[in-house]
Amino acid sequence: MDMSAGFVVVLALLVFAAVTVAKGVRIVPQGEEWIVERLGKYHGTLKPGLNLVIPYIDRVAYQMVTKDIILDVQEQEVITRDNAVILTNAIAFVKVTDPVKAVYGVTDFSEAIRNLIMTTLRSIVGEMELDEALSSRDKIKARLRESIADEAVDWGLTVKSVEIQDIKPSQSMQKAMEMQAAAERERKAVVTRAEGAKQSAILEAEARLESAKRDASAQVMMAEASAEAIRRVSAAIGDQTGPIGFLLGEKYIAALERLGDKDNAKLVVLPADLQQAVRGLFGAR
């Protein structure tokens, strides 16, 4: 019985020693840092590799990842300065540079960074017009990173990059923009048609004006030609009436021939004394 009891005690001591050694030895993997608290108070930070702590007094309270952390910021609605609603989301790359501040400076640094990015993004986009917001992704990204950098430092974080994943109008805004674009296209089409009709009317008016000018010029030229012909005939004939009668008689006969060629001409009456009739046109005796 004494040997059995002694064996149990020795075995218990060995187990206790093994557990104590296990609790006192900590192997931290690369890319992590562990926060150690002693009796509930921060004591130190364990770096990657083999570390020793006091069992039952020291405890590893937090295991912090020091590699780059990817934080996906959820999509949200943002109202621009001209009251347009757009949808935007982002993604942030942060790194824990001070594990103590990251642990004791904020309850949940990941959630804190997400909310900070969302509120800052709403503030930045709210100062812009719709067209500016949709076309200024790099500007928004730069201002966003600059705005949250100081807050992140207070939490032991370094914001390496903030990327705007998507920024687009909401469905209602897209419909409104499509309707606006359609109305603008229709307006341009109406203006184009009106401009075409105006140009056509101007050209027609100019054509009529030019035609009238040319007709008037032609009439003047014909009148001048007729006057010149009359002057020349008058100069050639002088006081003699015989040649005039001959010319008028010739034209008179030509006119009668044309009259006789008409389809509806049934009867043509000619004067008995053609020469006397021609003379009568001039009042000659």
Side-chain angles (χ1 to χ4, degrees):
M1 292 295 294
D2 293 337
M3 291 181 62
S4 297
F7 177 75
V8 172
V9 171
V10 171
L11 182 61
L13 291 174
L14 291 175
V15 172
F16 177 76
V19 173
T20 301
V21 171
K23 286 183 173 293
V25 176
R26 289 289 185 266
I27 298 176
V28 180
Q30 187 68 37
E32 294 184 8
E33 292 185 9
W34 293 1
I35 302 299
V36 176
E37 292 180 353
R38 177 170 293 176
L39 301 178
K41 182 180 179 180
Y42 171 74
H43 175 68
T45 303
L46 303 182
K47 302 296 182 180
L50 180 62
N51 296 269
L52 298 177
V53 298
I54 300 177
Y56 310 111
I57 297 178
D58 296 341
R59 74 180 185 92
V60 176
Y62 302 96
Q63 297 180 359
M64 300 299 298
V65 177
T66 57
K67 296 180 289 187
D68 289 349
I69 301 173
I70 302 174
L71 298 179
D72 190 9
V73 181
Q74 66 186 17
E75 186 177 72
Q76 62 175 334
E77 290 187 349
V78 181
I79 301 177
T80 61
R81 188 170 58 186
D82 52 350
N83 296 323
V85 180
I86 62 176
L87 300 176
T88 180
N89 60 349
I91 186 170
F93 299 88
V94 300
K95 182 179 179 64
V96 177
T97 53
D98 191 337
V100 177
K101 289 183 179 180
V103 169
Y104 299 107
V106 64
T107 303
D108 186 345
F109 70 85
S110 297
E111 189 65 22
I113 287 292
R114 286 193 184 95
N115 285 286
L116 181 60
I117 291 175
M118 292 176 66
T119 54
T120 306
L121 188 57
R122 285 197 298 268
S123 176
I124 294 173
V125 175
E127 298 174 356
M128 298 180 174
E129 301 285 345
L130 174 61
D131 294 339
E132 182 184 4
L134 295 177
S135 60
S136 303
R137 180 173 300 196
D138 292 338
K139 180 180 178 181
I140 296 173
K141 180 179 69 174
R143 288 187 57 187
L144 184 59
R145 183 179 181 279
E146 180 181 355
S147 299
I148 67 176
D150 294 338
E151 294 289 343
V153 170
D154 293 339
W155 297 333
L157 306 173
T158 298
V159 180
K160 306 191 73 172
S161 178
V162 179
E163 299 293 336
I164 304 298
Q165 286 185 300
D166 197 9
I167 181 168
K168 60 184 179 181
S170 62
Q171 292 184 354
S172 59
M173 279 302 303
Q174 289 180 4
K175 292 181 180 178
M177 291 173 68
E178 290 174 358
M179 294 176 63
Q180 181 180 3
E184 182 65 18
R185 289 193 295 270
E186 181 63 23
R187 184 190 68 81
K188 289 182 178 180
V190 171
V191 171
T192 301
R193 289 194 295 268
E195 187 67 23
K198 175 183 175 182
Q199 292 297 327
S200 177
I202 292 174
L203 291 176
E204 289 179 0
E206 291 178 349
R208 290 194 300 270
L209 177 61
E210 184 65 21
S211 177
K213 288 181 178 179
R214 291 179 181 272
D215 289 342
S217 178
Q219 292 178 4
V220 170
M221 293 178 67
M222 291 177 64
E224 291 177 351
S226 298
E228 181 65 22
I230 293 172
R231 284 195 298 271
R232 292 186 179 184
V233 170
S234 298
I237 295 175
D239 296 334
Q240 300 179 9
T241 60
I244 295 177
F246 175 77
L247 291 174
L248 291 177
E250 185 179 20
K251 292 183 176 292
Y252 184 74
I253 293 172
L256 291 176
E257 289 179 353
R258 289 195 298 271
L259 182 62
D261 291 337
K262 298 293 184 179
D263 294 336
N264 58 353
K266 303 301 183 182
L267 180 64
V268 177
V269 180
L270 296 177
D273 190 352
L274 181 62
Q275 184 176 5
Q276 188 63 31
V278 171
R279 288 179 180 179
L281 294 175
F282 289 88
R285 297 297 179 183

